[in-house]
Amino acid sequence: MRAPLDLAAVEAMDAADPLRAMRERFILPEGVIYLDGNSLGAAAPAVFNELQKAATQEWAQDLIRAWNTAGWFDMPVALGDQLGRLIGAAAGQTVVCDTTSINIYKVLHAALAMRPDRSVIVAEGDSFPTDLYMAEGVASTRPGTVLRLEGVDAPDIEDLIDERVAVILVNHVNYKSGQLRDMAALTCKAHQVGALIIWDLCHTAGALPVELDSANADFAIGCTYKYLNGGPGAPAFIYAAKRHHDKVQQPLSGWWGHARPFAFEQGYVAGSGIRRFLCGTQPVLSMRALKGALDVWDDVDMAAVRKKSIALTDLFIQLVEGRCGAYGLELEGPRDGKQRGSQVSFLHAHGYQVMRALIERGVIGDFRAPSTIRFGFTPLYVGYKDVWQAVEVLEDILRTGAWQDARFAVKTAVT
Ligand SMILES: Cc1ncc(COP(=O)(O)O)c(C=O)c1O
């Protein structure tokens, strides 16, 4: 049992925080404690500067010349390399493009085609649903493909992996519980039976360090609008290990992935390297916003991010269980910080109403049906005092029964 904390102890944690100055690089509205950066990251003025420049100078003044003069055409690969540093990928293996769902389709289809004599895709029953929907879509293009699901066909993913498996599509951090998987171990298990593995890094990129190259991963995909703060609908990314570049053929064979896009040839010839994962014209303004968001990371040490993330989430669990334990909350995810992403979830029978009441009081987390209240802790801008204050509000809402107010029972879209 740890010693009970007081506000002074928590303020001392903020004072000693090596990432404390990063908070100044974000806009955090007055009166809000933002614990939803695992859904949509906060805005940074650096993002607006890039947007402003891209719109008013490059687009308005340079017009079509900007594809070359401002480097618009090369941005998917340039941003990919910038992001690659945060996910342990050496240059030339990451590209920023399209959406996570589209990238899952491209990569899964391509990986399946690399194992033509195998028919099984393994995924997780409790995956973020788009991964499963896209897997169904890919499977429908190749009759006889079977989808094996953890939690449905066997309790553990390891039990589903055998010589019939072509590809494993798996989340590094579960979106609901925050459970973290051992990337190197599962990748090794996949390779032992000759299968390929695709990691969904939506809840990893910018939340904790990850080493794709040293884990020997085959492919990864992820979004940039959560912990990377690229903005709503920001473009996603694909990682493909260099050893696969010459063999892999993705199905959305648009002109940006062509070997000679400006030769305007009739037949498709895949380009070299990671560029072959591109499809068509990319959203330049969104890319430029992402550039501003990624620039913020240039001097950030991912080991410090991880250390703070574990400290924030440990503190939250300790305070919630110490102060709100009598009110029907149950920890949903891992208790061991080393097994946790940068989020904490609790189950509550009336989780929807509790979250609505919290949001009305300025503590923004989110709700995932049927009964999960989920809190994300972005180490760049969430402080220890935020955690303390959020728990004070939660305790008040539960103790007074404020969540029972009739207006919180009416379902509205909570993202
Ligand atoms: C694990 C995971 N994969 C995929 C997505 C979403 O994909 P897209 O960006 O295409 O909407 C999310 C969104 O929250 C997610 O959590």
Side-chain angles (χ1 to χ4, degrees):
M1 189 68 189
R2 275 170 288 187
L5 285 161
D6 58 17
L7 180 56
V10 168
E11 284 173 342
M13 291 168 86
D14 273 327
D17 172 11
L19 293 172
R20 189 170 170 71
M22 294 304 296
R23 187 183 176 97
E24 306 309 319
R25 301 177 77 167
F26 291 90
I27 298 162
L28 296 162
E30 202 55 40
V32 165
I33 296 175
Y34 194 57
L35 303 181
D36 214 4
N38 53 328
S39 200
L40 175 66
V47 169
F48 302 148
N49 293 342
E50 283 295 320
L51 272 175
Q52 172 84 5
K53 193 168 147 208
T56 59
Q57 173 59 43
E58 295 164 11
W59 176 20
Q61 301 299 323
D62 304 343
L63 289 163
I64 197 160
R65 294 168 292 188
W67 281 106
N68 297 313
T69 55
W72 287 356
F73 188 69
D74 291 323
M75 257 195 305
V77 174
L79 292 181
D81 284 344
Q82 199 175 354
L83 196 159
R85 182 183 81 79
L86 305 177
I87 54 173
Q93 301 177 105
T94 310
V95 67
V96 167
C97 59
D98 304 323
T99 67
T100 312
S101 301
I102 292 172
N103 289 341
I104 291 171
Y105 189 88
K106 288 190 284 190
V107 171
L108 185 57
H109 193 288
L112 196 58
M114 288 169 72
R115 294 289 179 274
D117 49 354
R118 296 182 177 213
S119 57
V120 177
I121 298 172
V122 170
E124 303 144 296
D126 66 352
S127 173
F128 187 82
T130 207
D131 299 46
L132 300 179
Y133 304 158
M134 298 317 281
E136 277 181 35
V138 169
S140 74
T141 67
R142 210 170 94 176
T145 304
V146 175
L147 201 52
R148 281 186 195 160
L149 295 181
E150 182 188 48
V152 176
D153 298 305
D156 295 318
I157 201 160
E158 283 81 1
D159 300 326
L160 297 173
I161 301 174
D162 61 28
E163 272 75 12
R164 289 184 55 212
V165 175
V167 196
I168 300 159
L169 170 63
V170 70
N171 287 270
H172 188 226
V173 176
N174 181 278
Y175 79 104
K176 224 187 211 184
S177 67
Q179 179 74 48
L180 172 64
R181 284 195 192 270
D182 182 338
M183 178 178 281
L186 195 61
T187 300
C188 178
K189 172 104 186 156
H191 291 171
Q192 274 165 2
V193 297
L196 295 163
I197 191 157
I198 303 168
W199 288 94
D200 183 328
L201 300 184
C202 281
H203 295 270
T204 303
L208 60 148
V210 63
E211 296 295 336
L212 286 169
D213 284 347
S214 43
N216 211 16
D218 295 296
F219 301 101
I221 44 82
C223 68
T224 65
Y225 48 72
K226 300 182 191 292
Y227 295 94
L228 294 173
N229 313 305
F237 66 89
I238 293 178
Y239 161 90
K242 205 177 177 69
R243 63 183 178 278
H244 295 314
H245 287 185
D246 293 342
K247 294 169 274 250
V248 68
Q249 293 281 348
Q250 62 100 350
L252 304 186
S253 44
W255 73 298
W256 273 45
H258 195 282
R260 294 168 293 279
F262 295 100
F264 303 105
E265 294 165 15
Q266 217 166 51
Y268 185 78
V269 181
S272 61
I274 194 70
R275 279 204 85 98
R276 66 173 51 190
F277 281 96
L278 291 172
C279 178
T281 306
Q282 293 301 309
V284 169
L285 296 179
S286 297
M287 291 257 174
R288 287 303 295 269
L290 177 58
K291 176 168 177 2
L294 291 178
D295 285 348
V296 170
W297 287 89
D298 275 350
D299 307 318
V300 174
D301 170 14
M302 287 308 289
V305 168
R306 180 62 173 153
K307 197 167 168 212
K308 183 173 175 190
S309 158
I310 293 180
L312 287 168
T313 49
D314 275 351
L315 176 66
F316 185 68
I317 293 171
Q318 183 187 355
L319 291 175
V320 170
E321 292 190 333
R323 299 183 60 171
C324 313
Y327 304 115
L329 286 172
E330 185 195 331
L331 181 66
E332 188 179 1
R335 187 168 294 283
D336 175 4
K338 289 199 272 322
Q339 305 235 358
R340 193 191 301 136
S342 204
Q343 65 180 70
V344 175
S345 296
F346 282 94
L347 297 168
H348 188 279
H350 301 280
Y352 179 79
Q353 285 105 309
V354 172
M355 185 50 72
R356 288 277 312 275
L358 275 171
I359 292 172
E360 193 183 79
R361 297 270 301 268
V363 178
I364 303 184
D366 60 26
F367 170 77
R368 289 291 175 265
S371 50
T372 298
I373 51 173
R374 197 176 68 147
F375 303 88
F377 297 85
T378 301
L380 294 196
Y381 54 74
V382 174
Y384 298 97
K385 191 170 169 186
D386 294 324
V387 173
W388 175 273
Q389 289 175 332
V391 177
E392 282 206 318
V393 176
L394 178 62
E395 195 261 343
D396 187 68
I397 283 167
L398 293 169
R399 184 177 38 78
T400 60
W403 59 269
Q404 292 172 32
D405 192 295
R407 69 189 188 286
F408 298 138
V410 183
K411 295 263 174 190
T412 62
V414 177
T415 53

